[in-house]
Amino acid sequence: MKYSRFWAATVAVLVLAVTVGPFAIVTHGGDPPPSSPHKAVSTDEKIDRILDRLDRIERRLNEIAPPRAGEFKVNLAPQAARAATRTWTLDESTGLPNMPQKPTPRSTTFKNCGAEGSGGDGELNRLKNRVDKWSEWIPVKFGAVRNLDYPAELPRKRAAWPLETREAVSRYEGVPIAVEGFIAYTKAEGPESCNCGEDADDMVDFHLSLVTSSEDDKSDSIVVEVTPRIRAQHPKWTYDLMKSIKKSENRVRISGWLMLDQWHPEAVGKSRGTIWEIHPIMEIEIKDGGRWVKADDWEPEE
């Protein structure tokens, strides 16, 4: 007999309590006896073990009670929680965070479209379709992203990338950042492989061009994208709202995951200034009346 998702989640919480217990004793009960044969375990290692167990519980719960189409899977141990225990330093040469331990991207099936989409590059699509959040987005300057180097030769399929290319891209891809600027251009895209070629309004990306000045055009912009999976969590993030933000010429702060889209090198200097993107956007804020207002709460002037 299958458990309901409610009871499955309840069981998981009980398992977590049992799992955390021993570590709590070790953490708060003082040093182990001198005769203890066990190797000392750091706090990070303890947290990793707990989160690894939660990962296994999560997979089992989703096997016992598979989510319905369009429903998010049980997510008990977000990788952001694991990475939040790590530290990062600012790379002065680029102005971007140097984060050796990045959160592992988490993607979902959404309206029957799997994390790898359909066609294109499944590895890239999984990055575009990630849904994991971050506790505090790291502010970086516009130029840190706009001027960030990338390998000259990039095969469309990441599986064909040589090791040195992967290492160069992975140094910064996947860092959680926030960039300020202005929206110069908006477009509701048509069918794309990441969205399984669907063209329904709730299954297309919104492409926004972020620039440093309201007078700049998109040829020197950073492309930042609103995806269907994240939009489902923010009902107010409609395309009309994106156009209203652009029309207002208000300063914006875009937070999300830094990602390299290797499919658009020919567009650099034309419709974009770099193939580095913030994709997906996880938070949009508008500077209004001297204060930052989340897009969920912002009301455009008539």
Side-chain angles (χ1 to χ4, degrees), residues 48 51-52 55 58-59 75-86 101-106 130 132-134 257:
D48 279 345
L51 291 172
D52 284 339
D55 284 340
E58 175 189 338
R59 288 195 295 271
N75 186 357
L76 297 175
Q79 291 295 329
R82 183 194 304 271
T85 67
R86 312 296 191 223
Q101 295 288 343
K102 301 182 184 69
T104 301
R106 285 179 175 261
R130 68 187 299 179
D132 48 309
K133 299 179 182 179
W134 183 254
W257 301 105

Side-chain angles (χ1 to χ4, degrees), residues 123-180:
E123 190 176 344
L124 175 64
N125 289 342
R126 289 188 69 88
L127 295 179
K128 292 181 176 182
N129 290 332
R130 68 187 299 179
V131 297
D132 48 309
K133 299 179 182 179
W134 183 254
S135 57
E136 187 173 353
W137 304 97
I138 303 169
V140 302
K141 294 182 179 180
F142 181 94
V145 177
R146 165 64 182 79
N147 301 326
L148 184 61
D149 290 336
Y150 51 86
E153 299 295 331
L154 285 169
R156 291 291 181 91
K157 298 283 188 177
R158 290 187 173 216
W161 286 8
L163 179 60
E164 57 269 25
T165 296
R166 284 186 171 274
E167 290 178 344
V169 172
S170 66
R171 182 174 182 181
Y172 296 110
E173 186 170 65
V175 293
I177 61 173
V179 181
E180 295 183 21

Side-chain angles (χ1 to χ4, degrees), residues 242-294:
M242 302 301 125
K243 291 192 295 184
S244 293
I245 295 173
K246 173 187 176 297
K247 183 179 179 181
S248 74
E249 297 188 352
N250 284 16
R251 191 171 184 83
V252 298
R253 181 162 61 201
I254 303 295
S255 302
W257 301 105
L258 185 61
M259 187 204 79
L260 187 89
D261 191 339
Q262 73 269 15
W263 283 66
H264 303 292
E266 74 288 343
V268 174
K270 300 174 184 175
S271 60
R272 58 170 68 210
T274 178
I275 57 176
W276 285 103
E277 303 180 355
I278 297 180
H279 194 159
I281 295 173
M282 302 299 294
E283 189 65 74
I284 303 173
E285 298 168 276
I286 300 97
K287 195 70 171 290
D288 194 349
R291 64 190 182 96
W292 288 106
V293 181
K294 292 185 177 182

Side-chain angles (χ1 to χ4, degrees), residues 5-199:
R5 294 183 71 77
F6 171 79
W7 287 111
T10 301
V11 170
V13 172
L14 292 174
V15 172
L16 174 60
V18 174
T19 304
V20 173
F23 290 117
I25 293 172
V26 173
T27 302
H28 301 292
D31 296 331
S35 60
S36 173
H38 299 293
K39 180 182 178 181
V41 179
S42 71
T43 301
D44 281 351
E45 288 174 320
K46 294 172 187 176
I47 293 173
D48 279 345
R49 291 180 183 181
I50 294 169
L51 291 172
D52 284 339
R53 291 194 181 191
L54 284 175
D55 284 340
R56 292 195 292 272
I57 294 170
E58 175 189 338
R59 288 195 295 271
R60 183 56 183 152
L61 287 178
N62 284 312
E63 289 173 1
I64 294 172
R68 296 183 295 274
E71 179 184 11
F72 286 103
K73 293 182 179 180
V74 173
N75 186 357
L76 297 175
Q79 291 295 329
R82 183 194 304 271
T85 67
R86 312 296 191 223
T87 59
W88 58 271
T89 58
L90 188 66
D91 186 336
E92 294 183 359
S93 65
T94 63
L96 289 168
N98 179 25
M99 184 181 289
Q101 295 288 343
K102 301 182 184 69
T104 301
R106 285 179 175 261
S107 308
T108 62
T109 294
F110 180 74
K111 296 185 180 294
N112 296 318
C113 182
E116 294 186 356
S118 178
D121 182 1
E123 190 176 344
L124 175 64
N125 289 342
R126 289 188 69 88
L127 295 179
K128 292 181 176 182
N129 290 332
R130 68 187 299 179
V131 297
D132 48 309
K133 299 179 182 179
W134 183 254
S135 57
E136 187 173 353
W137 304 97
I138 303 169
V140 302
K141 294 182 179 180
F142 181 94
V145 177
R146 165 64 182 79
N147 301 326
L148 184 61
D149 290 336
Y150 51 86
E153 299 295 331
L154 285 169
R156 291 291 181 91
K157 298 283 188 177
R158 290 187 173 216
W161 286 8
L163 179 60
E164 57 269 25
T165 296
R166 284 186 171 274
E167 290 178 344
V169 172
S170 66
R171 182 174 182 181
Y172 296 110
E173 186 170 65
V175 293
I177 61 173
V179 181
E180 295 183 21
F182 298 85
I183 302 300
Y185 177 80
T186 65
K187 182 181 181 182
E189 280 296 328
E192 294 183 281
S193 63
C194 55
N195 298 320
C196 296
E198 299 289 340
D199 62 358

